[in-house]
Amino acid sequence: MYQIHFDKPIHVHFIGIGGISMSGLAEILLSEGFQVSGSDNQCSPLTEMLTEKGARISYGQRRDNITDDIDLVVYTSAIHPDNPEFLAVQEKGIASLTRAQLLGQMMRQYKTAIAISGTHGKTTTTAMISDILLQEDTNPTLSIGGILKSIGGNYRVGGSDFFVTEACEYTNSFLSFFPKIGIILNVQEDHLDFFKDLEDIRNSFHSFAKLLPEDGCLIINGEIEAYQELTEDVLCPVITFGIGEGYDYYAADITYDKTGKPSFLCCGPDGFRLPVTLGKPGIHNIANALPAIALSHYLGLKNDTVSAALSRFEGTDRRFDYKGEIGGVTIIDDYAHHPAEIDATLSAAARYPHKRLFCVFQPHTYSRTKAFLADFAKALSAAGHVVLADIYAARETDTLGISSRDLQKEIKALGCDCHYFPTFDEIENFLLENCTAGDLLITMGAGDVHKIGENLLGI
């Protein structure tokens, strides 16, 4: 495999440079003196930012974008084998890496690489850890799967001591990483268009854990069923966390304020005690904060720094994100697109001030919708009123014979009010006619459903 070195800058070309992750990697290489070029289908704020920093970007993917002076090409799993640039790379014999492989190579350039994995909560936990390290003034380099409000972006180029990144299990991409410290938040069924079953997913996380070196550390949710199977053959120390006693780090004395923001006492080894108040609502955010606290204690960071950063934590875009208010209706946007995530978000919403709760849900991918149809219905029925948009296909082309109407039938069968509309315009009109002052409206999903709330607010 091609090895990059920050002390030996080369010319790297990104196929699909405008993606949120690819653009961040390109920015880091630019800051290290690499020559960067790339292509994307259209201009965006991310590509404009890269152009300002010195990247050469072509719009439209063509064979002649692959010039002979390119040393390395980076691409994502979304690039098809018949992509003209990809074909040109193969014909010219230019070295290439996947996005995950490049990220793994870059992790080797840092003293302490920290990788946060799990089926849910990766972005929020990565953001919490990032804010703590920023508060401690460690000058970390950051790679986050969403826009972190405290830095106004998804990447931060810092020093060579700390590198913090999300580690996604989809297509086993995190097995290309080289972390020193790994975090496993949870392990549940998802991405069943790639994984065979839950056991296959567990095997993948076990392989991730075994990547950690002897002088590293694994921080794992002790509430994962038979978590010890995931830590077998791991060379490094293992630290557990969970809600309630029985783990190395645990939350006790949990209370909530009037907006659902929790306070708790984090208890740990050797009499460790840290009172914490979170800036974001929901018990799931306690589960996200515990590994961040455990990591901070392991690294020897100051307790005051940790509690201050978590209390000021504003979160990332699309994670229980307050968008605004219109006609007395509060609009929140959330990225939840798995039944467990929906359950966590609606549980947090239940503690948020409101008269009625409307949830506009856009299912994400046909395969996930079909695999979890009954689970989606059960989770969504916690809302008083559900409005469904069409399934967001993302990378998929086969409908598998499933549609949002099937989900509507399941939800109605549980006695929950549920409506389906094929267009955003129809959904917006329904909401304008039915939502009244005091109601809480949540737009939810991993696609473009956030546009509905933004259209209503005129932003």
Side-chain angles (χ1 to χ4, degrees):
M1 183 186 299
Y2 192 94
Q3 306 282 323
I4 68 160
H5 301 278
F6 281 1
D7 57 352
K8 297 178 181 178
I10 58 172
H11 180 182
V12 181
H13 181 87
F14 290 79
I15 304 177
I17 197 170
I20 194 164
S21 178
M22 293 279 272
S23 61
L25 296 177
E27 183 179 356
I28 292 175
L29 292 184
L30 282 168
S31 72
E32 296 292 339
F34 284 65
Q35 181 182 350
V36 172
S37 61
S39 62
D40 214 285
N41 291 328
Q42 57 188 6
C43 181
S44 71
L46 290 174
T47 59
E48 289 177 344
M49 176 273 295
L50 290 172
T51 299
E52 291 173 3
K53 291 180 179 290
R56 187 183 78 245
I57 298 179
S58 305
Y59 295 103
Q61 291 172 348
R62 300 177 297 275
R63 291 178 58 88
D64 56 11
N65 291 337
I66 305 301
T67 54
D68 293 336
D69 63 329
I70 293 172
D71 300 299
L72 175 69
V73 171
V74 181
Y75 62 97
T76 71
S77 57
I79 299 301
H80 294 288
D82 60 353
N83 179 283
E85 291 188 22
F86 187 80
L87 288 173
V89 171
Q90 304 301 308
E91 291 172 8
K92 289 175 178 284
I94 298 174
S96 63
L97 293 174
T98 65
R99 181 203 63 83
Q101 289 170 334
L102 174 64
L103 182 51
Q105 293 294 316
M106 292 172 67
M107 292 172 76
R108 287 180 146 173
Q109 312 298 310
Y110 295 85
K111 182 179 178 181
T112 303
I114 303 166
I116 297 92
S117 72
T119 316
H120 322 294
K122 292 186 291 293
T123 297
T124 297
T125 302
T126 304
M128 286 178 172
I129 292 169
S130 298
D131 272 355
I132 291 170
L133 290 172
L134 289 167
Q135 182 84 16
E136 184 80 357
D137 204 21
T138 62
N139 193 26
T141 297
L142 309 174
S143 167
I144 306 167
I147 303 301
L148 180 59
K149 294 180 181 180
S150 59
I151 63 173
N154 65 306
Y155 271 81
R156 179 185 187 273
V157 180
S160 60
D161 286 341
F162 290 101
F163 184 89
V164 183
T165 184
E166 291 185 34
C168 182
E169 75 277 13
Y170 185 58
T171 68
N172 282 329
S173 62
F174 64 176
L175 300 187
S176 297
F177 290 3
F178 295 93
K180 185 173 183 179
I181 299 174
I183 295 176
I184 300 178
L185 299 171
N186 38 63
V187 180
Q188 296 180 342
E189 285 184 301
D190 199 9
H191 300 303
L192 295 178
D193 58 326
F194 176 76
F195 293 108
K196 291 184 292 186
D197 50 28
L198 180 57
E199 190 60 28
D200 191 22
I201 297 170
R202 289 175 62 88
N203 288 336
S204 184
F205 277 94
H206 184 201
S207 297
F208 170 74
K210 290 196 294 184
L211 295 175
L212 299 167
E214 287 186 63
D215 62 344
C217 177
L218 172 64
I219 301 172
I220 187 169
N221 187 345
E223 297 182 54
I224 297 171
E225 184 176 354
Y227 81 86
Q228 296 88 345
E229 294 176 358
L230 306 182
T231 61
E232 288 177 351
D233 308 321
V234 171
L235 300 175
C236 65
V238 176
I239 295 171
T240 62
F241 67 90
I243 307 292
E245 295 186 34
Y247 312 100
D248 294 322
Y249 292 84
Y250 63 92
D253 303 334
I254 300 171
T255 60
Y256 297 88
D257 70 8
K258 63 181 180 180
T259 62
K261 295 177 181 177
S263 296
F264 62 97
L265 180 67
C266 180
C267 305
D270 303 321
F272 175 83
R273 296 290 185 272
L274 183 65
V276 177
T277 296
L278 296 181
K280 280 288 186 178
I283 192 170
H284 63 293
N285 277 322
I286 298 178
N288 291 330
L290 285 171
I293 297 169
L295 171 67
S296 300
H297 192 211
Y298 174 81
L299 294 175
L301 305 184
K302 295 188 291 290
N303 287 345
D304 289 348
T305 297
V306 177
S307 57
L310 292 175
S311 67
R312 297 171 186 165
F313 180 65
E314 296 181 285
T316 58
D317 281 2
R318 309 219 57 218
R319 270 70 177 180
F320 212 86
D321 194 8
Y322 174 83
K323 303 295 290 187
E325 185 178 309
I326 181 170
V329 178
T330 300
I331 300 179
I332 301 286
D333 181 56
D334 197 274
Y335 192 68
H337 55 286
H338 183 279
E341 297 167 351
I342 294 168
D343 182 66
T345 298
L346 293 182
S347 294
R351 296 181 180 273
Y352 198 91
H354 67 276
K355 290 182 179 179
R356 297 181 300 167
L357 174 59
F358 284 79
C359 178
V360 179
F361 180 62
Q362 181 186 44
H364 188 260
T365 72
Y366 302 107
S367 59
R368 183 181 284 116
T369 305
K370 185 171 185 176
F372 301 116
L373 190 66
D375 295 323
F376 275 124
K378 182 179 178 181
L380 287 165
S381 65
H385 307 275
V386 179
V387 182
L388 297 175
D390 275 330
I391 296 171
Y392 190 84
R395 56 189 172 268
E396 296 182 341
T397 56
D398 186 352
T399 68
L400 303 176
I402 200 78
S403 75
S404 290
R405 290 192 184 278
D406 297 302
L407 181 54
Q408 181 190 25
K409 291 177 185 176
E410 293 279 337
I411 295 172
K412 281 189 169 184
L414 295 174
C416 179
D417 177 49
C418 183
H419 302 264
Y420 158 72
F421 299 101
T423 68
F424 282 6
D425 283 344
E426 290 170 283
I427 293 175
E428 291 163 19
N429 288 334
F430 174 85
L431 296 172
L432 288 170
E433 292 172 3
N434 289 276
C435 291
T436 58
D439 289 344
L440 176 62
L441 168 62
I442 299 181
T443 55
M444 186 183 292
D448 57 355
V449 67
H450 60 91
K451 293 179 180 178
I452 290 173
E454 293 168 357
N455 290 341
L456 292 173
L457 292 167
I459 58 177

